[in-house]
């Protein structure tokens, strides 16, 4: 896929600044990472670098690591359809079992931000007064006992392959902090579409208590419209539990609110509500990591990959006669 | 980030000409959408932090449940056709006939009873049956295309005969 610059574009201040952008679909992510780190002229920009590979990019002679506070959130989707997960005390206990700072440090190598609820901490709708649930195993155990968690009941934890490391960390946290058994199941890639369909259609009982799940927003304007809605609204694709009238009311008011300030306040109310009800196991917002050739001045975007402002210096291979 | 890159000055107005080529590997599942955003016009775009800012829409304001969109003057599609309020109405009408035209989800849909009026070449009136607080966010997924695009491609409508989420 080759994009050629449109020099007549109206926004000349922004760009385009490159003559040509070539999206290489013939190179896999692992090979691409090697080509951007160890060579020049083959690959200039590789997106979706894993935190585990960030060090390789940082140490590279040819590439820099660009980090972006992206509109992304990873959480544990709680199946609230039946006991004992229909009890807010149990859901709070799961949240109290997680050391988010350690999760960010050990699983994301520091390339993530702990999050109190579902709105990224750098978005307008993130309430200033909301702190992530503390890591408090004793209070978590107390709440589980109060709610009557059956002693031989193992938690069914499911995950997709892309967030399996997070799920393993959660399984360890739930076991150690709450003293409960955890059955961890990774959904094979070949079964992913069927699993997604079952979750969205809601015709069959979903076979998990908690599903580790990554999601994103396409803008920072109003995260509840995309993130909160998909997880908790009556029309939400990922909702796994009964509809909350208070949530429906807040969403109903926000969709007809045209005053940006009032809309922001409604967004904060929605984030507080999902926090108070512990509707998910709130975890973190991963940064987007991009490996970029050292002769490329890349402008990262929180909600997209756009290259209008990206440019290359005179030392770039394409300006030395190679392009 | 790298050191300051340079661009060659253009002949007019101090604007610099595009220079150089980059090769990109983007395994993100929304790569198709990112390419769309790199190549098509929308009323709004997002800045580096994800905030919605005007693109081919210069300004907007509400009059009751009607959103008045001021269309930026001097915008042209790649094929040279001027982008006007009529381009916005055509793009709206083309997509509005489908129930689920947006793969990311129907949350990007406008109310089915919405209509667009063009009192002049640079004003589009979105007449909603009730105020739509998320209209500007939905504009992010509202791709504006030239007449030629709709006649020859139309997000695959010409080939597949439907716009229901297949693209």
């Amino acid at each position: 896929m080759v994009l050629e610059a449109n020099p007549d574009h109206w926004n000349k201040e922004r760009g385009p600044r490159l003559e040509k952008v070539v999206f290489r679909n013939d190179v896999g992510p692992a090979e691409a990472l090697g080509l951007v780190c160890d060579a020049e002229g083959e690959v200039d920009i590789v997106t979706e670098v894993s935190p585990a590979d960030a060090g390789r990019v940082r140490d590279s002679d040819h590439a820099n690591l660009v980090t972006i506070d992206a509109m992304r959130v990873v959480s544990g989707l709680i199946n609230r359809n039946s006991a004992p997960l229909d009890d807010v005390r149990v859901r709070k206990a799961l949240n109290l079992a997680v050391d988010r700072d350690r999760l960010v440090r050990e699983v994301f190598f520091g390339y993530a931000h702990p999050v109190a609820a579902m709105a990224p901490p750098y978005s307008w709708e993130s309430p200033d007064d909301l702190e992530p649930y503390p890591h408090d195993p004793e209070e978590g155990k107390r709440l589980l006992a109060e709610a009557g968690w059956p002693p031989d009941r193992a938690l069914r934890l499911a995950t997709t392959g892309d967030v399996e490391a997070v799920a393993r960390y959660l399984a360890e946290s739930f076991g150690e902090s709450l003293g409960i058994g955890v059955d961890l199941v990774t959904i094979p890639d070949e079964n992913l579409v069927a699993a997604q369909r079952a979750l969205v259609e809601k015709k069959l009982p979903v076979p998990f208590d908690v599903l580790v799940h990554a999601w994103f927003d396409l803008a920072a304007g109003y995260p509840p419209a995309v993130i909160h809605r998909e997880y908790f609204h009556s029309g939400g694709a990922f909702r796994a539990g009964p509809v909350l009238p208070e949530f429906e009311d807040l969403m109903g008011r926000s969709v007809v609110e045209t005053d940006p300030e009032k809309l922001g306040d409604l967004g904060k109310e929605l984030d507080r509500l999902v926090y108070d009800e512990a509707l998910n196991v709130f975890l973190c917002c991963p940064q987007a990591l991009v490996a970029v050739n050292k002769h490329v001045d890349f402008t990262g975007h929180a909600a997209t990959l756009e290259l209008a402002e990206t440019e290359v210096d005179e030392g770039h291979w394409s300006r030395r006669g190679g392009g | 980030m790298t050191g300051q890159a340079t661009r060659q000055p253009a002949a007019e107005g101090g604007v610099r000409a595009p220079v150089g080529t980059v090769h990109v590997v983007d395994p993100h599942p929304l790569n198709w959408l990112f390419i769309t955003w790199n190549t098509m016009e929308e009323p709004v775009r997002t800045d580096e932090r994800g905030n919605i800012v005007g693109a081919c829409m210069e300004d907007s304001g509400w009059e009751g449940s009607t959103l008045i969109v001021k269309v930026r003057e001097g915008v042209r599609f790649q094929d040279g056709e001027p982008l006007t309020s009529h381009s916005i109405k055509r793009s709206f009408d083309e997509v509005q006939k489908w129930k689920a035209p947006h793969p990311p989800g129907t949350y990007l849909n406008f109310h089915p009873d919405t209509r667009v009026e063009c009192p002049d070449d640079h004003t589009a009136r979105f007449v909603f049956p009730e105020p739509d607080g998320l209209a500007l966010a939905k504009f992010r997924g509202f791709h504006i295309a030239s007449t030629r695009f709709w006649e020859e491609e139309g997000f695959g409508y010409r080939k597949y005969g439907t716009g229901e989420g297949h693209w």
Side-chain angles (χ1 to χ4, degrees), chain A residues 9 17 19-20 22 24 42 44-45 47-48 220 255 257 294 296 298 302 304-307 311 316 318-319, chain B residues 1-2 5-7 18-28 30 37-38 41 48 50 62 72 133 140:
Chain A
H9 192 265
R17 306 181 186 192
E19 279 183 295
K20 207 180 285 185
V22 180
R24 290 197 59 178
E42 292 286 339
D44 297 290
I45 297 172
T47 69
E48 304 306 311
V255 297
E257 181 55 70
K294 289 186 175 180
V296 177
F298 170 76
T304 178
L305 171 67
E306 290 190 34
L307 298 160
E311 55 191 1
H316 188 255
S318 70
R319 297 182 66 180
Chain B
M1 299 290 284
T2 64
T6 58
R7 286 182 290 151
V19 60
T21 296
V22 295
H23 292 167
V24 181
V25 175
D26 176 31
H28 195 288
L30 289 180
W37 279 336
N38 274 282
E41 292 288 348
E48 293 174 36
W62 287 94
R72 192 179 300 278
R140 182 62 174 139

Side-chain angles (χ1 to χ4, degrees), chain A residues 16-64:
Chain A
R17 306 181 186 192
L18 295 164
E19 279 183 295
K20 207 180 285 185
V21 174
V22 180
F23 283 89
R24 290 197 59 178
N25 299 321
D26 58 331
V27 181
E31 185 185 358
L33 192 66
L35 290 171
V36 74
C37 287
D38 304 329
E40 281 193 290
E42 292 286 339
V43 174
D44 297 290
I45 297 172
V46 180
T47 69
E48 304 306 311
V49 174
S50 77
D53 287 329
R56 178 180 178 189
V57 180
R58 279 201 321 269
D59 295 341
S60 160
D61 289 335
H62 297 285
N64 289 323

Side-chain angles (χ1 to χ4, degrees), chain A:
Chain A
M1 169 74 72
V2 179
L3 311 187
E4 295 181 3
N6 173 12
D8 295 326
H9 192 265
W10 65 270
N11 194 346
K12 290 182 168 41
E13 179 59 33
R14 188 176 179 223
R17 306 181 186 192
L18 295 164
E19 279 183 295
K20 207 180 285 185
V21 174
V22 180
F23 283 89
R24 290 197 59 178
N25 299 321
D26 58 331
V27 181
E31 185 185 358
L33 192 66
L35 290 171
V36 74
C37 287
D38 304 329
E40 281 193 290
E42 292 286 339
V43 174
D44 297 290
I45 297 172
V46 180
T47 69
E48 304 306 311
V49 174
S50 77
D53 287 329
R56 178 180 178 189
V57 180
R58 279 201 321 269
D59 295 341
S60 160
D61 289 335
H62 297 285
N64 289 323
L65 182 72
V66 175
T67 61
I68 303 164
D69 288 340
M71 297 304 295
R72 302 176 178 191
V73 62
V74 175
S75 66
L77 192 167
I78 299 177
N79 177 6
R80 297 176 287 111
N81 281 307
S82 57
L85 282 301
D86 62 345
D87 190 321
V88 67
R89 293 170 296 183
V90 171
R91 301 195 298 269
K92 284 187 176 178
L94 295 177
N95 273 284
L96 293 166
V98 182
D99 182 342
R100 288 165 185 77
D101 291 332
R102 191 176 148 217
L103 169 74
V104 167
R105 193 170 60 247
E106 296 184 3
V107 177
F108 289 91
F109 296 81
Y111 296 106
H113 301 280
V115 64
M118 297 301 283
Y122 30 84
S123 67
W124 290 355
E125 281 71 27
S126 175
D128 296 333
D129 56 344
L130 220 54
E131 291 292 329
Y133 279 93
H135 180 221
D136 190 343
E138 293 311 311
E139 176 64 4
K141 284 176 187 162
R142 190 191 70 75
L143 286 172
L144 268 196
E146 189 178 289
W149 181 275
D152 57 348
R153 167 73 151 82
L155 183 89
R156 298 172 301 168
L157 180 63
T159 186
T160 49
D162 57 329
V163 282
E164 190 172 2
V166 180
R168 292 193 183 285
Y169 178 83
L170 280 191
E172 180 188 312
S173 296
F174 294 149
E176 288 183 359
S177 296
L178 302 177
I180 61 175
V182 179
D183 294 334
L184 175 60
V185 175
T186 300
I187 301 166
D189 288 346
E190 59 269 28
N191 295 348
L192 201 52
V193 172
Q196 287 171 332
R197 179 169 292 176
L199 178 61
V200 172
E201 289 182 347
K202 305 182 193 349
K203 291 177 180 170
L204 298 170
V206 289
F208 61 78
D209 295 318
V210 176
L211 171 69
V212 184
H213 194 262
W215 196 234
F216 57 88
D217 199 349
L218 300 176
Y222 193 66
V226 178
I227 297 175
H228 300 61
R229 177 190 182 279
E230 291 293 24
Y231 284 105
F232 312 120
H233 187 252
S234 53
F238 313 136
R239 180 176 54 80
V243 170
L244 275 73
E246 194 177 353
F247 186 93
E248 298 292 303
D249 175 58
L250 286 170
M251 278 301 289
R253 288 162 57 194
S254 69
V255 297
V256 295
E257 181 55 70
T258 56
D259 181 311
E261 195 169 331
K262 290 178 182 172
L263 191 61
D265 289 343
L266 286 167
K268 290 178 181 177
E269 279 191 65
L270 280 161
D271 211 42
R272 280 195 196 93
L273 174 63
V274 304
Y275 176 89
D276 290 341
E277 291 292 325
L279 295 181
N280 274 10
V281 183
F282 310 115
L283 297 175
C284 65
C285 294
Q287 291 183 304
L289 305 182
V290 186
V292 182
N293 179 277
K294 289 186 175 180
H295 294 288
V296 177
D297 190 0
F298 170 76
T299 300
H301 282 254
T304 178
L305 171 67
E306 290 190 34
L307 298 160
E309 303 100 338
T310 291
E311 55 191 1
V312 297
D313 68 22
E314 290 174 347
H316 188 255
W317 62 268
S318 70
R319 297 182 66 180
R320 297 195 313 256

Side-chain angles (χ1 to χ4, degrees), chain B residues 96-150:
Chain B
Q96 187 72 354
K97 56 192 170 191
W98 310 112
K99 289 190 188 316
H102 303 286
T106 53
Y107 64 86
L108 289 166
N109 287 13
F110 296 105
H111 191 290
D113 295 334
T114 307
R115 68 178 193 278
V116 175
E117 300 170 347
C118 302
D120 60 55
D121 285 353
H122 294 98
T123 305
R125 292 169 48 89
F126 285 73
V127 183
F128 295 104
E130 59 182 6
D132 186 343
L134 308 178
L136 295 184
K138 293 176 182 178
F139 274 176
R140 182 62 174 139
F142 177 28
H143 310 295
I144 313 301
S146 69
T147 303
R148 187 178 154 198
F149 174 86
W150 295 117

Side-chain angles (χ1 to χ4, degrees), chain B residues 84-99:
Chain B
T84 67
S85 58
H86 305 284
S87 316
I88 288 180
K89 177 173 170 52
R90 172 76 188 266
S91 299
F92 176 86
D93 290 343
E94 289 283 354
V95 174
Q96 187 72 354
K97 56 192 170 191
W98 310 112
K99 289 190 188 316

